[in-house]
């Protein structure tokens, strides 16, 4: 179960990043993330949020503790950011609600034991998460869209290569292929 929850958190992290990029708030988020103050049982991040390529279980637990506050500040911080429009306010509130439900659920699962009351809270948070997660899905490409994009990329790259190599000498073709690969 713990691995499943970590997998869900990874998806949420991806959703959050795409959402923040869409609303031009990713730099504010990275800044806040990088300068989180230390406190007991929390390791201060050494990298920007979007520069972390792999997360350990310990880092994920730390992430779950601070993501909601960091996310909210990044959305509502207006320094060097335009004030949110009316439609953005609704989107921000929906995104915050989704992240809140998942982090509350995840944090309760970390307890050593659970009472009936805690289990009912977990059920409520999970249900509300599923009710609100659809909001993020418009910022997330599905498998079919990713496959189509990869195929279109291959076709365009092949066409570009075929057109651009006509009349070139061998060394120029090799250089062009190397540049295309980069």
């Amino acid at each position: 179960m713990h691995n499943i929850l970590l997998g869900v958190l990874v998806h949420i992290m991806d959703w959050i990043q795409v959402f923040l990029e869409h609303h031009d708030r990713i730099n504010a988020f990275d800044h806040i993330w990088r300068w989180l103050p230390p406190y007991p049982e929390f390791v201060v991040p050494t990298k920007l949020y979007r520069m972390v390529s792999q997360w350990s279980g310990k880092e994920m637990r730390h992430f779950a503790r601070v993501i909601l506050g960091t996310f909210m500040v990044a959305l509502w911080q207006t320094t060097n950011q335009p004030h949110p429009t009316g439609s953005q306010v609704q989107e921000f509130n929906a995104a915050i609600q989704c992240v809140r439900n998942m982090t509350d659920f995840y944090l309760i699962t970390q307890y050593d034991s659970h009472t009936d009351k805690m289990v009912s809270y977990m059920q409520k948070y999970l249900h509300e998460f599923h009710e609100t997660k659809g909001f993020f899905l418009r910022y997330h490409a599905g498998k079919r869209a990713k496959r189509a994009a990869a195929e279109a990329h291959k076709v365009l790259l092949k066409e570009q290569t075929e057109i651009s190599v006509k009349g070139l000498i061998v060394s120029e073709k090799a250089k062009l292929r190397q540049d295309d690969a980069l």
Side-chain angles (χ1 to χ4, degrees):
M1 169 113 165
H2 184 69
N3 289 337
I4 293 170
L5 287 174
L6 288 179
V8 170
L9 278 178
V10 168
H11 284 298
I12 290 173
M13 292 162 56
D14 293 341
W15 296 348
I16 288 171
Q17 184 170 340
V18 172
F19 180 81
L20 290 167
E21 287 170 353
H22 177 78
H23 290 286
D24 295 324
R25 299 288 203 266
I26 191 71
N27 290 331
F29 183 86
D30 276 342
H31 178 76
I32 296 161
W33 177 259
R34 179 64 183 90
W35 295 107
L36 288 170
Y39 62 90
E41 296 188 27
F42 177 72
V43 177
V44 177
T46 57
K47 295 181 179 179
L48 297 176
Y49 172 80
R50 59 185 154 166
M51 296 299 159
V52 178
S53 58
Q54 281 192 314
W55 294 78
S56 69
K58 186 176 183 178
E59 289 171 324
M60 293 292 283
R61 286 189 297 278
H62 293 303
F63 165 83
R65 292 177 186 159
V66 299
I67 188 60
L68 182 60
T70 308
F71 184 58
M72 288 177 66
V73 171
L75 291 179
W76 295 111
Q77 177 183 1
T78 57
T79 307
N80 299 330
Q81 298 289 337
H83 287 285
T85 64
S87 63
Q88 280 182 319
V89 167
Q90 290 177 340
E91 288 184 43
F92 290 1
N93 288 336
I96 289 167
Q97 184 68 29
C98 179
V99 172
R100 191 192 110 214
N101 288 319
M102 189 60 216
T103 56
D104 286 349
F105 176 82
Y106 178 78
L107 291 172
I108 289 178
T109 64
Q110 300 302 302
Y111 290 11
D112 291 331
S113 63
H114 298 88
T115 64
D116 290 339
K117 185 75 169 172
M118 292 168 77
V119 171
S120 71
Y121 283 138
M122 289 170 58
Q123 289 173 336
K124 175 184 167 244
Y125 294 141
L126 189 60
H127 174 74
E128 289 178 4
F129 166 73
H130 284 294
E131 292 290 317
T132 58
K133 74 178 180 183
F135 167 78
F136 274 115
L137 296 181
R138 72 176 118 172
Y139 299 102
H140 175 72
K143 291 179 183 177
R144 188 178 307 148
K146 286 179 184 177
R147 267 188 257 124
E151 186 60 36
H153 179 262
K154 281 183 189 177
V155 169
L156 288 172
L157 190 58
K158 184 177 178 182
E159 288 174 1
Q160 177 188 10
T161 304
E162 290 172 356
I163 292 169
S164 60
V165 297
K166 292 180 182 176
L168 296 179
I169 61 174
V170 174
S171 62
E172 291 172 328
K173 289 179 185 178
K175 173 73 171 127
L176 184 62
R177 285 191 188 105
Q178 186 179 18
D179 290 344
D180 287 346
L182 288 174

